[in-house]
Amino acid sequence: MSLPPNDPRFDLGLTLTRRRFFARSAGTVGAALGTGALAEALGLPGAARTLAPRARRVIYMHMEGAPSQLDLYDHKPELRARFDQDLPDSIRQGQRLTGMTSGQSRFPVAPSIFKFSRYANRQDGVWLSELIPHTARLAHELCFVHSMRTEAINHEPGITFFQTGNQQPGRPSFGAWVSYGLGSANQNLPSFVVMITQGKGNMQALAARFWGSGFLPSEHQGCKLRAAGDPVLYLKDPPGVARPDRRRMLDLVAALNEREAERSLDPEVRARIAQAEMAYRMQMSVPELTDFSDEDARTLELYGPEVNVPGSFAANCLLARRLAERGVRFIQLYMRGWDQHGNLPGEIKLQCQAVDQPQAALLIDLKRRGLLDETLVLWGGEFGRTVYSQGELSTTNYGRDHHPRCFSVWMAGGGVAPGITYGKTDEYSYNVVENPLEVHDLHATLLHLLGFDHERLVYRHQGRDYRLTDVSGHVVRELLA
Amino acid sequence: MALPGPMNLDDLARLGRLHPLVLHLPIGLLLGALVLEALAARGKVARSALGAYLWLAAASAVVAASSGWILGHEEGYGGETLARHERLGIALAIASVLAALLHDPRGRAGVRLGLYRSALVVACVLLFPAGHLGSTLTHGDDWLDGPRAPRPRAEPRVEPDTLGAGLAQGAATGAPTAAPVDPPAPDATPSDVYGETIAPLLATYCTSCHGAQKRKGGLRLDSPEAILAGGEAGPVLAPGDPAASLFLVRARLPLEHEDHMPPEGKPQPGAEDLERLEAWVAAGAPFGRPGAGAAGEEQAATRAPSEPVRGAAADPAPTPPAEPAPPAEALAALTAAFVHAELLEPGRPELRVDVAAVARTFGDAEVAALLVPLAPFVAELSLARSAIGDSALERLAACRALRRLDLRATAVTSSGLAALARLPALEELNLAQTHLDEGAVEPLLALPGLRRLNLWEAGLSAEALARLRTRAELELVTGDEPLAEVLESEGELAFSSARPLPGAEAVPEALRPVNVTCPVSGSPVNPKYALVHTGSAGPRVIGFCCPNCPKEFWADPARFEDKLP
C-alpha cells in the first residue's frame, strides 16, 4: 500500500518500536487464555472489557449549574394550587440548605410557569415542558430518570462527583476511565474530547480537572477543543518550522524520553511520548474535523441558526457527531449557565433555546446515520433545583436554589431502554419516592453498557485498587434495552 | 564484568574457577600450623619443619585469595558481601605471609616471636568470617541453617525467540486488563512456559529466600498458587502487566537501589532472563500451556527434529482442536495502517473493524491488502466515508462471518450490491448517503438474513422503499421516521411567562422600557426594574433584569449606550 508523503501513517512506522512490532508479528495465538487476554494477546484495545458491549462511545452533555427539573421534566401540575404556600416540614425533613437560602424566613412553593404536554413514548407517554419542543418530539427515543440523587449540594463537589465518582478532586474523570478501558478507536484523535459552551446566565467555574486523568496515565485526560481561534492551542507549527523538522525534533525527543522511560519506569514518560505523537497527528486531523464545509445545507439547518457560531451548543453538537463518526470514545459537551438562583423563567428560556434544537438534531443525525445504536448519550446537571423560590416569588418570576435530593437526567441510544421513564418523586419534586438512582449506580450502568464490570475496571494507585464507582454502584437493569 | 587487557586470559579465568578447590588448603594448613606451633612451644616439634609448613600455608592462602579475586571479577558477582569477603581474604593472605616471614626457626623468645604468633592467630581467626561470607555468596544467606536438600539449578530450555513466538507478546504495553478473578489452574504439561523456563529461573534467583523453608517478606515463589498469593507487600504478579508486577519491577531496579531484588551480593539474573520473565508476565502469566493452538504447533515445529519434546511420550492425549484466532501479522498490518480493530466481545475471536481514522484514503486496494487476510474473523465492518467502490464488495465475499456492514457515504452502486448475496451472515446493512437507484431493490431483497437496513438519503424512490417494506421482518431506516406525537397539552395556565396573572398590574405604556434585554447582563428585562436615563437619544425608560444591574449602569452609562436600541 503506497501512502502519500503527507500521510501521518508514514511517520508512525518510524516511531513504532521495533520490539513491539516484531512481537506483534510473531505468528498466531491460541485463544485458550482467559477473558481479556485474547484482546491483549492480539494487541487489540479494550482488554479490560469483560462483557459484550452495547455502546462503543459516549456523548455526555453536562448542563453545568444544574437545570431545574421542575421546569423541564418533572411535571407537578398540582403545585399550581399551592403557589406561594410554605413548603411543609414533612417534605423538607430538616434537609440542609445552601448558605444562599438557609437564611430565608420562609420557603414558598414556586410552581413552574411553563406549560407541559404529554408526548408519546414506549410507555404511557411522558410530560415534558414547552421549553424543549424539539427534544420532546424524540420522547420515544429517550430514557428519563426522575429519581437521580447526589450527595453534593454545591457545584464544585457536585460536578466532581458526577465526573469522577468522588466529591474530592483527584480521581480520574469518567471519560478518562472510558478512554483507559476502551483504548482509542482513532489513532489520529484523542479518545476523550471536551467542548464548552458559554451559557446565557449565571455561570460557575469550570475546572480543567473535571476532565483530568487523575492517577491514570495522562494520555487519557480529556482534550479540550476551543471555540475561538485554534481549536487546540499550540498545535500549529510556528512560522519557519517545516513539518519534516518537526518530525526530526519529535524523533530525537522520543529517543531521549524512551531512555528515561526505561531507566525510571515512570509511565508518565511514555504518556508524554504518546501525547507528542498525538499532537503531531492532530496537526492534520483537527483542521479536517472542525471544517464544516463538507456538511450539506439540510444537516446544518437541522442544528439550527447558531450552528456556524463557533462554541455555540449547536456547533458543538455537530462537532460531537463528527467526532462520534470518527470513533472518538468519549465526547463531553459542557453547557454553562444553568445556575438560576433568581430570574429563572427568563434565563431558562434562553438556555433551552440554546440547547433544545441542537441536542435534538444530534440525536436525529446520529439515528439516521446508524450511529445512535452504539452511541450512549447522557444529558444532565450536577443536581436539581428546589421547589421553593429563592428570593422573591411572583407570578412571573422566581429563583430556585440547589437541590441534590432529586432531579432528572435523560439518556438515549447505546443499549439504553428507549421511551421510558424511571423513578418517581413526591408531589413537591423534593424527595425520591420510587427507584432512587445514585451517581454510582448511573456510572455502573453506563460502564456495563460499554462492556465493563464496574468492579473490575480498576487501577492500582497508592497501594489499592481504585474504580470509578469507588465501593458502591449497582447496574440498574430496568434502564437497559 | 570483564577485566581489561591480558588479565582477561582464559588461563587466569580457569585459575579463578579453582577458587572453591584452593580455598580449602589454607583453612587446613593454617589451623594445622596453629596446632604445630602449640606443640613446638613445648618443644615437641622441630621448628625447622614448622617453617616450611608455614610457607606452604602462606602460599596456599595467596593462591586462594588471588583466584578468588579473579573469580569475583569474572562471574558477575557484586555488592557489599563480595567486597567484604575479598578484603578479608586478602588480609588473611597477608597475615599468613607475615607469619611465615616472622617465624624464627630457632624460636628465641622476644618481640619477633610475639609478632609471629599474633600474625598466625590473626590469620586463623580471619578464616571464619571470610569463609562464612564466601559460603553466603555461593549458597545464599541460609547456607548454614537452610534446607539440607540441594537446590535445582536452572537451565532454561526454551530459546528466547521461540518463547517470544509462543507468547506472541512484546514489551509492556501498559494496556489495561480486567482485574483477574480466577487464576488459571496450574498445569505442568510438557510444553508449558512456566514449567520449562519461569520456574527454573525463579528457583535459581529467588526461591533460596522466597521458598518453602525461608519465606522472606511472607512471599514464596516456588509454586503457581504461592506466586499468585503474593507476600506481605501484596500481590507480586499482575498477569499481563509487567509494570505492575512487583517481583519484576524490583528485579529491574538499579542494583544499588535499596529495594532491588535479588539483594546485592546474590547471583543476579541477566538481561535475557528478565526479558523471559517479562514476556511471560506480558502474556498473562500462563501457568499452563500457552494456547494449545497454532502457536503451540508452530513452536513445536521450530524445534530441531532430533530434539525430543520432553514428556511427549507421557502425554499421548491428542491436543484439543485449536480455537481459531486472527493471524497476528495481518492484525499488526491493519493497526499499523491506523485501521481500528477490536474484539466484538471479550474472549471470542470476532473482530469489529472500523476504518474511520483513515477513511479518506481507504480504498479498494486497502480492502484487498488489509481486510481480506482477516476476512473469516470480521463480524462487524465499518467502511463509512471511505474511498471504496463496488470492487471492494466483491472482495468482502470472503467475510463469511460478517453480520454488520456499514457502507454509508461511499461510492458503492446498485450493481455492486449483488456481491453482498455471498455474505451468509449479514444482518445489518447501512447504505445511507449512497447513490443507489431502483436496481438496488432486487439485490437487497435477495439478502436472506437481512434484519436492518439504512437507506437514508440513498437515492431510492418512495416506490422502491415501499417494495422493500413488503419484507415484514426487515427494519428500514429512511430518516423520515415520525416524531413523537403530542398526546395532550395543559390548558392555558393561570400564570405563565407569556401571560401575567389576571389582575396583575399592567405596565403603563409610557413607562414601558425601550429595551427587551438588560443592557448590563443581556438577560430579559423585568419591568419592575426600570429607570429613566437621558442620553444622546434623549430621555428614555431603560429596563433591567434585576436590582443590581442599574447600579452598574449608572456608574458609566456611556459604556452601555450601544447595547440599547
Side-chain angles (χ1 to χ4, degrees), chain A residues 196-208:
Chain A
I196 298 164
T197 304
Q198 304 304 323
K200 312 286 180 185
N202 188 17
M203 288 192 275
Q204 294 296 334
L206 196 55

Side-chain angles (χ1 to χ4, degrees), chain B residues 159-177:
Chain B
E159 289 303 302
D161 289 350
T162 326
L163 179 73
L167 298 173
Q169 259 306 318
T173 58
T177 24

Side-chain angles (χ1 to χ4, degrees), chain A residues 56 117-118 137 329 373, chain B residues 342 452 484 487-490:
Chain A
R56 302 280 171 185
S117 298
R118 190 161 65 96
R137 298 299 301 273
R329 296 294 198 178
D373 291 342
Chain B
E342 65 184 46
R452 200 139 188 247
L487 300 175
E488 59 180 306
S489 285
E490 287 184 306

Side-chain angles (χ1 to χ4, degrees), chain A residues 290-331:
Chain A
T290 52
D291 177 10
F292 289 172
S293 61
D294 58 344
E295 296 288 341
D296 59 48
R298 286 172 57 194
T299 301
L300 293 174
E301 200 183 316
L302 186 68
Y303 284 84
E306 283 201 305
V307 70
N308 284 317
V309 180
S312 68
F313 201 70
N316 285 352
C317 278
L318 179 55
L319 263 174
R321 194 220 77 211
R322 292 171 69 88
L323 287 163
E325 67 185 352
R326 282 162 179 75
V328 170
R329 296 294 198 178
F330 202 97
I331 302 150

Side-chain angles (χ1 to χ4, degrees), chain A residues 1-4 7-9 12 16 19-21 23-53 56-57 75 77 80 83 111-121 124-127 130 136-140 180-188 200-201 217 263 265 270 281 284 288 296 298-299 322 325-327 329 343 345-347 349-350 364-365 367-371 373-374 392 394-397 451 455-458 460 465, chain B residues 164-181 233 235 239-241 249 252-254 275 278 282-284 286 289-295 298 323-329 331-333 335-338 340-349 351-352 354 356-358 360-362 366 369-370 380 385 404 406 408 428 430 432-433 452 454 456-457 475 477 479 481-501 504 521-524 526 528-529 545:
Chain A
M1 186 174 65
S2 68
L3 296 169
D7 192 301
R9 285 172 286 167
L12 183 77
L16 268 182
R19 186 159 57 147
R20 190 161 167 192
F21 182 78
R24 275 192 175 183
S25 340
T28 54
V29 186
L33 303 170
T35 298
L38 178 61
E40 207 188 0
L42 294 171
L44 297 178
R49 255 191 323 228
T50 52
L51 313 164
R56 302 280 171 185
R57 69 190 72 85
H75 185 41
R80 301 233 165 78
F83 175 76
S112 176
I113 61 166
F114 297 102
K115 207 163 90 172
F116 277 61
S117 298
R118 190 161 65 96
Y119 292 85
N121 65 357
D124 50 359
V126 54
W127 285 94
E130 61 178 319
R137 298 299 301 273
L138 299 171
H140 55 297
Y180 169 73
L182 289 181
S184 170
N186 183 337
Q187 300 288 329
N188 288 331
K200 312 286 180 185
R263 192 196 67 80
L265 297 174
R270 289 225 161 80
R281 298 194 296 271
M284 309 285 283
E288 189 266 340
D296 59 48
R298 286 172 57 194
T299 301
R322 292 171 69 88
E325 67 185 352
R326 282 162 179 75
R329 296 294 198 178
N343 199 22
E347 289 190 5
K349 252 196 247 179
L350 295 171
I364 292 171
D365 211 8
K367 171 91 176 169
R368 64 192 190 182
R369 280 165 212 262
L371 293 166
D373 291 342
E374 50 184 41
E392 201 180 336
S394 77
T395 53
T396 56
N397 205 356
E455 294 183 348
R456 290 178 65 194
L457 180 63
V458 298
R460 182 156 277 253
D465 284 342
Chain B
L167 298 173
Q169 259 306 318
T173 58
T177 24
V181 188
D241 192 354
V249 169
R252 288 273 197 207
L253 287 172
E275 263 169 34
E278 183 168 320
R289 305 171 51 152
E298 191 173 292
E323 179 87 8
E329 304 91 340
L331 267 183
T335 44
F338 277 30
H340 173 65
E342 65 184 46
L343 291 185
L344 206 54
E345 54 186 85
R348 284 176 62 184
L351 297 175
R352 169 194 165 84
D354 188 345
V358 288
R360 290 196 302 183
T361 53
F362 199 91
E366 284 74 25
L370 297 170
E380 275 191 33
R385 300 163 50 245
R404 278 183 85 185
D406 191 346
R408 180 170 63 82
E428 207 175 319
N430 190 340
Q433 297 178 300
R452 200 139 188 247
N454 189 329
W456 171 63
E457 289 190 351
E475 185 195 340
V477 179
E481 282 71 28
L483 296 171
E485 279 174 62
V486 179
L487 300 175
E488 59 180 306
S489 285
E490 287 184 306
E492 284 305 306
L493 302 183
F495 46 85
S496 76
S497 58
R499 207 164 64 96
L501 198 66
S521 72
S523 298
N526 184 341
K528 266 168 63 180
Y529 308 115
C545 62

